[in-house]
Amino acid sequence: MGGRLADIGGGMRLSEGWNLVLTDAGTCALPSDVPFSAGLIPAPVPGTVAEALEKAGLFDRAKPHILNDRDAWYICRMVDVDAGDAVLRLEGLATLCEVFLNGQKILVSESMFEAHDIAVSLLGGDELALCFRALGPRLSEQGPRARWRPQMITPQGLRFVRTTLLGHMPGWCPEIHAVGPWRPVSLLRPSAPVVRDLSLRPDLLDDGEGRLYASLSIEGDAGEIVLRCGEVEQAFELDSPGRYNAILKIPGAEPWWPHTHGAPYLYDVALVIDGAEYPLGNTGFRRLSVDRGADGQDFAVVINGERIFCRGAVWTTADIVRLPGGREDYEPWLRLAAQAGMNMIRIGGTMAYEAPDFLRLCDELGLLVWQDFMFANFDYPKNDKTFNAHVEAEVAQLLGRTRLSPSLAVLCGGSEIHQQAAMMGLPEQFWKSPIVEDIIPPVVQSLRPDVPYVVNSPSGGAMPFSPNAGVTHYYGVGAYMRPLADARRADVRFAAESLAFAHVPQARTLIRHLPVPAVHSPLWKERVPRDRGASWDFEDMRDHYLEELYGFEPNRLRREDPDLYLGLSRAVTGEVAEETYAEWRRQGSGCNGALVWTLQDLLPGAGWGVIDSTGEPKPIWYALRRAFRPVQVLLTDEGTNGLDVHVINESDAALDIALEVSCLRDGRQRVVGGSRELVVEARSKQKIACTDLFGAFFDTSYAFRFGPPSHDVTVARLTAPGTGALIAEAFHYPLGRAAAFHDAEIAASVLQEGEDWFLDLRSDRLAQSVQIDFEAYRAEDDWFHLPPDGSRRVRLHRRAGIPADAVPMGQIRAVGSRRIVEV
């Protein structure tokens, strides 16, 4: 028997009847040596040691204890499994694992990222045991000397072991170690004919024809073998003894698009053997490339001939304890990403490979996926044949699992390897790693030639982290505390990560999960991310921009008005993000995409995530939702050139839009304004000077300063001409945001239309960062600015577990005002 069994016909998941026993490292060589008097702990499979201990009340994710210093035995008596030949499929074992069947060792696995198929002969009532050997002793072993040692990851021995770096980055994430059968364990009973080495690859030709290339091997007798995609079928042809090929063609195929630019159209795929149908999943057809420009310095993702502005976030994990891989685990996070207008998710090299359901959901939701291979920061071994074999296996298996996914958009050798070496002062010849330069690329070219490969993130400039060429990790605005204008000055081409801040969660999350004094409590500070060894943390970065944008001294404000401090802290990171993305998306910008660091928190608190660990969107999520709108209006301050208005239409159809710009004094009195009916062509942008709308000079940016300022805010609005429905808004504060604080009177009411609830809001003057705090409902938009002389309708989404007849009740507040509106 040769080659991997095809994933058809299903199998029997071994998910029940597992027990966990922890023993001292190395004391038990065989399952028979395990002292069951030590105590059996029921263990979920797939699952982790941390998960089993947490369910037993023996582990606290907020105060984790070391898990990689003991051996962990998973033992299962397969009482309901019949005798006979089978294939034992182990899809992921973290990390050093010995597998025993009826006391006999049948496998030694040394990579968390490899799956194994083992032919076994079962007797009936067999015992399966998995021994996860303590990783700690292996990490302390000495290996070849590294040319550099990264500060953020400990211990250094991790560079020799194929395991996730989650849990090994102090200050970045809780020290929860990945141990256990984190992916499914199954028994397969292949029946004749046996399908092996099934290969599938979709493609979209320039003329719009979709093609699905397929090949497989058959053992045993098979008559007719047919490939089905949608309504089209194609018979396989014999290529060589036991090997068959097929090319299925769909003229005028519906293309797959990221959801911001079109419909993510998918086709069902199935294999039909002698009339028996075996579903293989869904696929989509798209053409994908990277445009690096005439000088080779650019980086733009091109899909179906269109340049796509990529925006989104870096994924961490659905649960740091469980490391789950099911659709039900991924779906809440990815749906919120799509609802925020994100069109790309990056899985970084410090995380872990996600299960196939992750990409299947991204296929459905129209989310592009940037996939790093799991290498980051280290000087990895150069000539270790065993290590390199593990690398080839994990890369080939990942690409094999994702063969049908149109959402897979970029494959990347890893994270910050080049940057780490360069920042240590090493010359360029020392940056390069044979793993990402020589070993991974041929495997990618062989299995996923439709997906561009990037050698490392960041890379491409004079220095690998130079933002004005290739791919960068941009923290000029953010950790380096550069002014917001640096987003333009840096000439960012593509930021695979950016804008990391300690984002404060909503009040309801803190009340329930972290009820301690903000900033002052040690527990609060434990949850604030920081770079190991640095004298600052990411809350300091947020405070810097709070002072820059609002003019308050953060330390004093925390003491004298903690409520205002928290309100401004929640608002400021969204304001920074909206202004920065406006710069990157404006007409004339050379930026082709930027992803924020990160999508979700790992514990409740002021973490990097734009969604907190409970699944509640933070204020920054709503700001990004506004910044990422496919149809958008932006205001950019061009100094003595005044304000420019930018209108963006990323859709595939021309739009009739009404544009109105108003300059307001005291947040309410219109000093000057103008409007225009526009036709914005599909996939296009327009730039208009405000003075062109006004028909005369007006110092919109207050750059000339001829006398006292005439206004404190400029509002640009896009509306639908026929209905007046609001499409997008933008705001500019020539005197700073605090100068436009007003004690606005907000009128609020709720109404029901059918089964849906809405909140209607109106204000007599500008209200900044309006907050909607309803216990039973979550507002579709929140922390937005509300201008005068116009109502705003916000859809309300009922929270999980709330009865359908619950009436929305709660409070409305605005930053800069003491008023509380009861609804």
Side-chain angles (χ1 to χ4, degrees):
M1 294 173 67
R4 184 171 172 83
L5 279 173
D7 298 323
I8 64 174
M12 176 183 179
R13 284 276 184 97
L14 300 178
S15 56
E16 304 293 335
W18 289 91
N19 288 292
L20 168 66
V21 181
L22 298 176
T23 63
D24 292 337
T27 57
C28 300
L30 300 170
S32 57
D33 299 331
V34 176
F36 292 103
S37 58
L40 297 176
I41 301 170
V45 174
T48 64
V49 170
E51 178 184 7
L53 294 177
E54 185 177 64
K55 288 185 174 181
L58 301 173
F59 186 83
D60 182 356
R61 65 176 65 201
K63 297 179 181 179
H65 59 267
I66 293 174
L67 296 176
N68 62 11
D69 62 344
R70 305 184 74 190
D71 291 347
W73 290 83
Y74 280 74
I75 299 174
C76 177
R77 176 71 68 176
M78 299 184 289
V79 294
D80 296 326
V81 177
D82 296 333
D85 292 338
V87 172
L88 176 64
R89 174 163 290 177
L90 304 149
E91 297 188 30
L93 304 168
T95 288
L96 308 177
C97 184
E98 298 171 1
V99 181
F100 299 85
L101 182 64
N102 297 327
Q104 299 296 312
K105 188 184 297 183
I106 60 173
L107 174 71
V108 176
S109 175
E110 294 198 335
S111 172
M112 175 178 174
F113 305 130
E114 288 181 49
H116 304 275
D117 282 0
I118 310 168
V120 295
S121 294
L122 302 176
L123 307 175
D126 304 78
E127 181 187 78
L128 180 61
L130 313 175
C131 178
F132 296 90
R133 297 297 183 184
L135 185 59
R138 171 72 70 88
L139 297 179
S140 64
E141 294 177 1
Q142 293 295 316
R145 185 175 180 180
R147 292 168 297 177
W148 67 84
R149 295 167 64 90
Q151 290 295 311
M152 62 176 270
I153 306 168
T154 61
Q156 298 298 309
L158 283 163
R159 70 190 183 103
F160 301 112
V161 180
R162 296 308 300 135
T163 193
T164 180
L165 299 180
L166 285 168
H168 298 280
M169 296 176 284
W172 279 41
C173 66
E175 295 187 53
I176 299 172
H177 302 138
V179 184
W182 72 303
R183 291 293 180 252
V185 177
S186 306
L187 279 176
L188 284 66
R189 303 271 191 172
S191 57
V194 177
V195 178
R196 297 186 184 276
D197 296 330
L198 174 63
S199 173
L200 298 160
R201 182 172 67 84
D203 193 15
L204 182 65
L205 305 187
D206 289 342
D207 63 2
E209 179 180 273
R211 289 193 177 184
L212 185 58
Y213 301 91
S215 63
L216 53 81
S217 295
I218 289 279
E219 296 175 1
D221 295 330
E224 186 181 37
I225 311 171
V226 173
L227 179 66
R228 179 183 297 157
C229 183
E231 302 300 320
V232 180
E233 293 187 348
Q234 176 64 49
F236 281 82
E237 297 181 355
L238 184 65
D239 179 60
S240 59
R243 189 73 186 171
Y244 295 81
N245 294 330
I247 302 176
L248 184 148
K249 302 177 181 180
I250 304 179
E254 289 286 347
W256 184 95
W257 288 96
H259 75 101
T260 51
H261 288 69
Y265 195 90
L266 295 174
Y267 291 81
D268 296 330
V269 181
L271 189 65
V272 184
I273 304 176
D274 294 333
E277 182 174 320
Y278 302 94
L280 301 178
N282 298 322
T283 196
F285 298 99
R286 85 303 185 252
R287 295 189 312 278
L288 194 150
S289 62
V290 167
D291 183 357
R292 294 188 176 270
D295 60 359
Q297 301 297 297
D298 206 2
F299 190 95
V301 175
V302 180
I303 296 182
N304 305 330
E306 297 288 345
R307 289 168 71 98
I308 304 294
F309 185 89
C310 299
R311 63 276 200 171
V314 181
W315 176 265
T316 52
T317 175
D319 189 303
I320 184 64
V321 168
R322 298 189 296 119
L323 299 180
R327 181 185 179 95
E328 67 281 1
D329 302 298
Y330 296 137
E331 189 163 9
W333 304 105
L334 293 177
R335 286 204 178 277
L336 283 174
Q339 289 169 16
M342 299 183 187
N343 62 17
M344 178 175 275
I345 298 292
R346 174 177 167 226
I347 302 176
T350 54
M351 310 304 174
Y353 300 116
E354 297 298 343
D357 276 349
F358 186 94
L359 264 79
R360 290 178 190 135
L361 269 165
C362 290
D363 295 341
E364 295 173 22
L365 295 170
L367 291 169
L368 300 167
V369 176
W370 174 303
Q371 174 72 67
D372 281 8
F373 295 104
M374 294 301 121
F375 299 92
N377 295 76
F378 282 122
D379 179 20
Y380 287 98
K382 284 186 172 295
N383 300 305
D384 187 323
K385 292 183 179 180
T386 300
F387 189 90
N388 292 347
H390 286 309
V391 173
E392 290 180 344
E394 76 181 58
V395 172
Q397 289 182 8
L398 172 72
L399 299 182
R401 293 193 300 269
T402 61
R403 58 187 181 264
L404 287 175
S405 287
S407 60
L408 188 60
V410 179
L411 291 165
C412 180
S415 174
E416 296 190 352
I417 298 174
H418 291 185
Q419 172 174 306
Q420 189 75 68
M423 284 192 163
M424 294 289 185
L426 295 174
E428 185 174 358
Q429 63 265 30
F430 290 101
W431 304 348
K432 298 181 178 180
S433 166
I435 288 171
V436 301
E437 305 276 353
D438 304 320
I439 294 174
I440 296 178
V443 184
V444 170
Q445 182 58 35
S446 173
L447 297 179
R448 287 302 301 257
D450 60 309
V451 182
Y453 178 74
V454 177
V455 68
N456 208 242
S457 181
S459 61
M463 287 282 106
F465 43 83
S466 298
N468 61 354
V471 175
T472 191
H473 293 179
Y474 175 75
Y475 294 111
V477 175
Y480 306 145
M481 296 187 291
R482 299 286 297 165
L484 298 188
D486 190 73
R488 179 180 296 197
R489 188 177 297 117
D491 192 20
V492 174
R493 301 298 182 93
F494 193 104
E497 58 187 68
S498 63
L499 300 180
F501 290 98
H503 301 294
V504 180
Q506 300 276 32
R508 68 193 317 270
T509 296
L510 296 181
I511 291 170
R512 295 183 179 187
H513 300 281
L514 194 62
V516 299
V519 183
H520 300 291
S521 167
L523 181 56
W524 175 284
K525 274 298 185 185
E526 285 177 12
R527 307 285 175 86
V528 174
R530 64 189 60 80
D531 283 341
R532 182 168 172 257
S535 60
W536 50 270
D537 62 27
F538 283 81
E539 198 152 53
D540 297 323
M541 306 302 100
R542 188 189 69 229
D543 282 352
H544 169 81
Y545 289 97
L546 187 155
E547 185 168 11
E548 181 170 309
L549 268 63
Y550 293 100
F552 294 95
E553 200 282 308
N555 291 330
R556 180 175 179 179
L557 189 63
R558 272 203 308 269
R559 292 193 304 271
E560 298 180 357
D561 196 339
D563 288 341
L564 179 57
Y565 171 78
L566 273 180
L568 294 178
S569 295
R570 291 186 175 102
V572 67
T573 57
E575 292 292 291
V576 170
E578 286 198 70
E579 192 157 330
T580 303
Y581 271 100
E583 176 56 49
W584 287 337
R585 294 187 67 193
R586 66 178 172 85
Q587 187 181 56
S589 168
C591 184
N592 303 298
L595 313 177
V596 298
W597 180 271
T598 60
L599 182 67
Q600 69 270 71
D601 283 343
L602 303 176
L603 291 172
W608 282 315
V610 302
I611 307 170
D612 72 36
S613 63
T614 74
E616 178 80 15
K618 295 182 182 179
I620 176 65
W621 181 89
Y622 295 96
L624 293 176
R625 184 175 180 271
R626 294 187 290 272
F628 293 165
R629 288 176 290 221
V631 180
Q632 178 71 303
V633 63
L634 308 169
L635 288 170
T636 59
D637 188 337
E638 306 299 330
T640 52
N641 290 313
L643 289 185
D644 280 346
V645 186
H646 303 259
V647 180
I648 300 171
N649 175 21
E650 290 180 333
S651 74
D652 57 1
L655 295 178
D656 293 325
I657 292 176
L659 169 66
E660 181 182 26
V661 177
S662 301
C663 297
L664 306 179
R665 177 185 296 136
D666 298 328
R668 65 188 303 180
Q669 181 182 349
R670 192 182 197 210
V671 178
V672 68
S675 61
R676 183 175 296 180
E677 300 285 328
L678 301 175
V679 177
V680 188
E681 298 298 328
R683 319 272 199 234
S684 72
K685 302 177 183 180
Q686 291 188 25
K687 181 178 73 172
I688 306 168
C690 279
T691 49
D692 287 348
L693 293 174
F694 303 157
F697 168 73
F698 182 78
D699 192 6
T700 49
S701 58
Y702 195 50
F704 295 92
R705 300 181 185 271
F706 297 153
S710 300
H711 68 299
D712 54 25
V713 65
T714 299
V715 183
R717 306 181 85 228
L718 287 184
T719 56
T723 64
L726 179 66
I727 298 172
E729 283 179 316
F731 299 82
H732 177 262
Y733 303 92
L735 312 176
R737 287 159 175 79
F741 281 169
H742 303 291
D743 193 22
E745 293 187 12
I746 299 175
S749 61
V750 295
L751 72 156
Q752 189 175 21
E753 293 185 356
E755 296 182 354
D756 298 322
W757 283 97
F758 296 87
L759 173 67
D760 279 350
L761 297 171
R762 183 182 294 271
S763 180
D764 69 329
R765 64 194 71 201
L766 175 71
Q768 289 190 51
S769 299
V770 173
Q771 308 142 47
I772 303 169
D773 185 9
F774 285 12
E775 181 64 26
Y777 287 80
R778 180 178 70 80
E780 190 169 47
D781 198 6
D782 202 359
W783 292 85
F784 55 85
H785 306 318
L786 183 63
D789 301 327
S791 63
R792 176 75 181 273
R793 175 162 291 186
V794 181
R795 182 185 294 272
L796 301 174
H797 298 285
R798 195 169 66 252
R799 298 184 187 276
I802 300 299
D805 59 353
V807 177
M809 300 173 63
Q811 296 180 334
I812 311 293
R813 293 178 175 85
V815 165
S817 173
R818 299 291 183 183
R819 295 177 186 266
I820 299 177
V821 180
E822 299 284 349
V823 179

